[in-house]
Amino acid sequence: MRQENIRNIAIIAHVDHGKTTLVDQMLKATDAFRENQQVQERVLDSNDQERERGITILAKNISIEYQGVKINVIDTPGHADFGGEVERVLRMADGALLLVDAAEGPMPQTRFVLRHAIDAHLAIMIVVNKIDREGARPEEVVNDSLDLMMDLGATDEQLEFAMEHVVYASAVNGFARLAPDDGNMDMYPLLDMIVDALPAPDVDVDGPLAMQCVTIDHSEYVGRIGIGRIYSGTIHDGDKILVVKNDGSRAMSQVKQLFTFDYLGRKEATEVAAGDIAAVVGVDSTDIGDVYTDPDNPVELEPIEIDPPTLSVIFEPSTSPLVGREGDIVGGRQLKERLMQERENNVTMRIEELPDKTGIEVAGRGILHLSVLMETMRREGFEFQVGRPRVLFKKDENGAMTEPVEQAVVECPGEYSGKVIEVFGNAGGTMSSMETGTTQTHLEFKIPTRGIMGLKNRILNVTHGEAVFYHTFLEYGPYAGEIGVRQNGAMISMSTDKAVAYALGTLQERGQLFVGPGDECYEGMLVGERSKPGDMVVNIARTKSLGNQRSSTADIAVQLTPPRTFTLEEALEYIMDDELVEVTPKSIRMRKRILSETERRKWAVRTGKVKK
């Protein structure tokens, strides 16, 4: 039986193609806000980092009311690192809006999220966004999207549905059209098509209760809140329910509070029927994939499998000489407690303490996935250090070593394409396709995840900043052997002191600096990159020697190039195996694991890195 008064839709797209802005306009068109209400742009990007980075990190549920139909909208992340969210939340939807930029067309992460939507057998509607952008080619983009759906194995029904249901929109300007130039200036054609064309949930309202938890929310007051779609039956406040875990274990529980989604918030409910999305309070330590069902007549649902992590880093308490100057929380015990709390709330990461208790290993889907956690913790006042991200290898059925392989796409002016291909070749990549346009060349590569680290900077350097670079996890492939690492050596401070302009003036001739005059440095800290291989220990506090004939201010006006600054992701990609990134609320510093030069030399002799 279809619940005709409900539609469950997911919005899927590549990063920055306008998902969250489109949801803003749908909310405005359905009078979600009071007339005089001040509303920020991208209202669903509620997390500070989402607003700063301009990306969606957490999937979010809202609902809007249109023509008597409740439309549950799921805003999904577009970045492959947050794919764990996408896979699960698509289970709540019956249809999806595939949002594609009218100029760029389908991009690598469009492929990633679209594959999951096709596998979930969703009806897919194409929305071509930014049709008023310079260089827009809406009709071509529709054909490219259909071609991509065919490549990903869409069924004939899915392809026919997508061909017949296309909307052209400009989310920024708040209009949707059935033809690119029909002149309509509101969002109603899109809302009409959602209500008229996308399928209503096909459920059994009178059957036994079956609900699967696909997202976990956490409250300090009530603990974990399980969010998911009800596939059959009705759940009531106060019901006794049977909870079936992914591993088959069972336990009884009671619904203490029940919520449905209402515009941007949640509304307490006494009952929620099949087809709708509910939030349930009262199931202790509920987990992704838990099935809430009728104890007398239990229903079995497919367990949820989450793609495995591909990268891991080790979090350790900071051992920097400057520890405690910028952060309030520096102890190993607090670091462990915070990460174990994250394990409770974030099922897409694998978090385990090392056997020797020296640190905590955190495994995730990519550097961005891991750096979002680090950024959150530094904002909470933590100081800690992390090592170089390590790729998680696996063995196939024959016992051969396999490693994660990514699909990388580069768009750059044609004259730089040769240099880009060379950079990928040195990093273990192989080119899978090349399309030459009038101004831009589109290159696609397969490359081991190990080779991706630090690649973005090299590509931007050889293309003079004109390349657009994306990558997404593709599969586990054969081990690609040794891959070239950072070619240039580092400049390492020999003392704990403030950097002096005079010293930096002579050092900048040897390479690129990471610090400026007055910056606090310590022995073993990376203060720059040499223009040659091999590390060099430098004195950043050297001052001009003065005779009694000269004034201290004469001849010391130094012209310094601004130092190179690193984001957290860039620093993680830059460091080598014997280096660490020190993360504090105000600074990101790179350092050697062993700070003393003498101790480093002894270690190099012991491990055979250099001869005696």
Side-chain angles (χ1 to χ4, degrees):
M1 190 176 92
R2 291 200 176 271
Q3 286 280 63
E4 292 298 341
N5 62 335
I6 295 176
R7 299 288 182 279
N8 296 317
I9 63 164
I11 300 187
I12 58 176
H14 181 78
V15 177
D16 208 29
H17 279 195
K19 290 186 305 297
T20 310
T21 311
L22 187 78
V23 174
D24 282 3
Q25 297 298 346
M26 290 166 73
L27 284 162
K28 285 176 187 167
T30 51
D31 302 324
F33 310 118
R34 299 187 312 274
E35 278 190 29
N36 61 345
Q37 188 172 347
Q38 291 292 310
V39 183
Q40 62 185 11
E41 283 185 2
R42 304 198 325 271
V43 68
L44 280 196
D45 283 350
S46 48
N47 174 314
D48 284 349
Q49 286 194 64
E50 290 183 317
R51 301 197 66 75
E52 287 165 23
R53 294 170 185 260
I55 60 172
T56 300
I57 293 171
L58 301 169
K60 301 181 190 65
N61 297 59
I62 60 158
S63 80
I64 54 179
E65 195 87 26
Y66 182 67
Q67 292 183 350
V69 175
K70 179 182 183 182
I71 304 172
N72 285 313
V73 181
I74 304 152
D75 183 20
T76 64
H79 203 287
D81 281 22
F82 308 107
E85 294 274 329
V86 178
E87 293 159 50
R88 302 193 313 269
V89 297
L90 288 181
R91 289 187 172 230
M92 295 194 282
D94 300 290
L97 305 187
L98 171 64
L99 200 65
V100 191
D101 187 299
E104 292 181 357
M107 296 295 274
Q109 279 140 11
T110 315
R111 169 182 286 271
F112 172 80
V113 285
L114 182 57
R115 180 190 293 138
H116 286 304
I118 287 170
D119 292 347
H121 308 295
L122 302 186
I124 295 161
M125 205 165 104
I126 297 173
V127 181
V128 182
N129 192 25
K130 306 187 186 181
I131 59 168
D132 51 348
R133 180 178 167 181
E134 192 180 333
R137 44 187 188 94
E139 283 89 356
E140 282 178 54
V141 165
V142 171
N143 291 332
D144 291 347
S145 303
L146 292 168
D147 289 344
L148 179 59
M149 287 179 68
M150 285 178 69
D151 288 349
L152 295 174
T155 62
D156 291 345
E157 292 78 17
Q158 284 174 318
L159 285 166
E160 278 174 32
F161 187 90
M163 255 185 257
E164 292 166 12
H165 299 94
V166 180
V167 174
Y168 303 91
S170 168
V172 166
N173 295 310
F175 66 76
R177 298 171 177 172
L178 299 179
D181 48 7
D182 70 9
N184 181 65
M185 292 307 289
D186 57 42
M187 294 301 292
Y188 297 121
L190 173 63
L191 293 165
D192 289 334
M193 195 177 281
I194 289 170
V195 170
D196 298 339
L198 287 177
D202 189 3
V203 288
D204 181 4
V205 181
D206 303 319
L209 172 66
M211 170 181 167
Q212 190 164 35
C213 173
V214 296
T215 310
I216 301 286
D217 199 358
H218 192 271
S219 158
E220 293 175 25
Y221 307 107
V222 296
R224 286 187 168 199
I225 302 168
I227 299 169
R229 171 177 164 168
I230 302 167
Y231 293 97
S232 75
T234 303
I235 191 166
H236 302 83
D237 191 5
D239 272 357
K240 289 265 195 299
I241 56 172
L242 178 68
V243 180
V244 182
K245 297 273 186 192
N246 267 347
D247 61 5
S249 61
R250 302 177 169 215
M252 291 297 292
S253 199
Q254 183 173 13
V255 179
K256 292 179 181 166
Q257 269 182 304
L258 194 58
F259 296 90
T260 57
F261 291 89
D262 181 42
Y263 286 99
L264 288 169
R266 290 185 196 151
K267 182 171 70 176
E268 197 157 354
T270 52
E271 64 174 49
V272 184
D276 208 348
I277 294 170
V280 176
V281 175
V283 182
D284 293 334
S285 65
T286 189
D287 227 326
I288 299 295
D290 286 2
V291 176
Y292 306 159
T293 185
D294 186 338
D296 302 324
N297 198 356
V299 177
E300 286 189 12
L301 295 174
E302 271 182 54
I304 291 179
E305 288 182 18
I306 298 169
D307 273 4
T310 56
L311 280 181
S312 75
V313 293
I314 308 290
F315 282 67
E316 302 168 10
S318 179
T319 54
S320 157
L322 304 180
V323 67
R325 300 226 188 148
E326 296 175 358
D328 309 320
I329 313 169
V330 297
R333 183 177 56 80
Q334 291 107 314
L335 182 66
K336 178 182 170 184
E337 283 173 3
R338 171 66 181 81
L339 288 169
M340 291 306 159
Q341 178 194 339
E342 186 69 23
R343 184 166 75 174
E344 284 291 304
N345 305 339
N346 189 340
V347 293
T348 57
M349 283 184 167
R350 196 178 68 224
I351 301 175
E352 292 165 357
E353 189 170 15
L354 294 177
D356 60 2
K357 311 286 191 211
T358 54
I360 313 284
E361 182 176 32
V362 179
R365 289 293 293 274
I367 283 186
L368 181 62
H369 192 197
L370 296 166
S371 73
V372 165
L373 170 62
M374 295 175 202
E375 185 65 41
T376 305
M377 288 173 62
R378 72 188 284 228
R379 291 177 187 208
E380 291 168 5
F382 281 87
E383 273 194 35
F384 53 92
Q385 62 193 32
V386 290
R388 188 179 189 214
R390 294 185 302 113
V391 164
L392 299 174
F393 298 104
K394 288 202 309 195
K395 290 196 172 172
D396 61 14
E397 307 89 55
N398 306 319
M401 186 77 79
T402 63
E403 65 175 324
V405 175
E406 312 239 342
Q407 181 191 26
V409 172
V410 178
E411 301 250 353
C412 66
E415 67 261 32
Y416 301 128
S417 56
K419 290 181 178 176
V420 170
I421 294 166
E422 186 184 339
V423 167
F424 270 92
N426 293 336
T430 53
M431 189 166 70
S432 51
S433 85
M434 177 176 181
E435 292 172 23
T436 308
T438 49
T439 55
Q440 294 286 97
T441 300
H442 178 91
L443 302 160
E444 291 192 16
F445 299 87
K446 280 187 179 180
I447 180 169
T449 301
R450 287 179 298 145
I452 286 284
M453 288 186 222
L455 200 64
K456 187 173 184 179
N457 281 332
R458 276 180 271 161
I459 286 169
L460 289 176
N461 285 341
V462 298
T463 60
H464 298 197
E466 291 190 49
V468 179
F469 174 53
Y470 295 108
H471 59 94
T472 181
F473 172 73
L474 187 64
E475 61 195 359
Y476 266 82
Y479 178 65
E482 286 301 314
I483 289 176
V485 289
R486 189 174 84 213
Q487 302 299 314
N488 295 358
M491 294 185 198
I492 304 159
S493 173
M494 64 164 57
S495 60
T496 301
D497 222 322
K498 285 188 176 176
V500 173
Y502 178 76
L504 297 180
T506 55
L507 290 176
Q508 73 178 4
E509 296 164 15
R510 301 288 199 85
Q512 192 173 29
L513 294 171
F514 303 158
V515 295
D519 288 354
E520 289 271 9
C521 300
Y522 53 83
E523 184 184 8
M525 179 173 150
L526 270 61
V527 293
E529 180 183 290
R530 286 187 73 190
S531 47
K532 296 178 181 177
D535 292 344
M536 177 172 73
V537 178
V538 299
N539 182 1
I540 44 83
R542 186 162 70 93
T543 54
K544 184 158 189 169
S545 51
L546 304 173
N548 58 1
Q549 312 300 317
R550 312 180 66 153
S551 87
S552 61
T553 54
D555 304 333
I556 58 167
V558 180
Q559 290 289 317
L560 286 177
T561 309
R564 175 177 167 189
T565 55
F566 286 82
T567 64
L568 203 38
E569 292 100 83
E570 287 167 352
L572 289 168
E573 289 181 336
Y574 183 81
I575 59 172
M576 305 292 283
D577 289 334
D578 64 337
E579 294 164 356
L580 297 168
V581 177
E582 179 196 347
V583 183
T584 78
K586 294 180 184 170
S587 311
I588 293 165
R589 303 184 187 99
M590 294 176 289
R591 49 163 282 189
K592 287 291 181 184
R593 188 174 284 277
I594 302 169
L595 295 177
S596 154
E597 187 197 354
T598 341
E599 293 301 320
R600 279 200 304 278
R601 285 177 185 276
K602 287 180 185 172
W603 174 84
V605 169
R606 273 200 314 273
T607 55
K609 302 279 183 191
V610 296
K611 292 179 180 167
K612 291 185 186 180

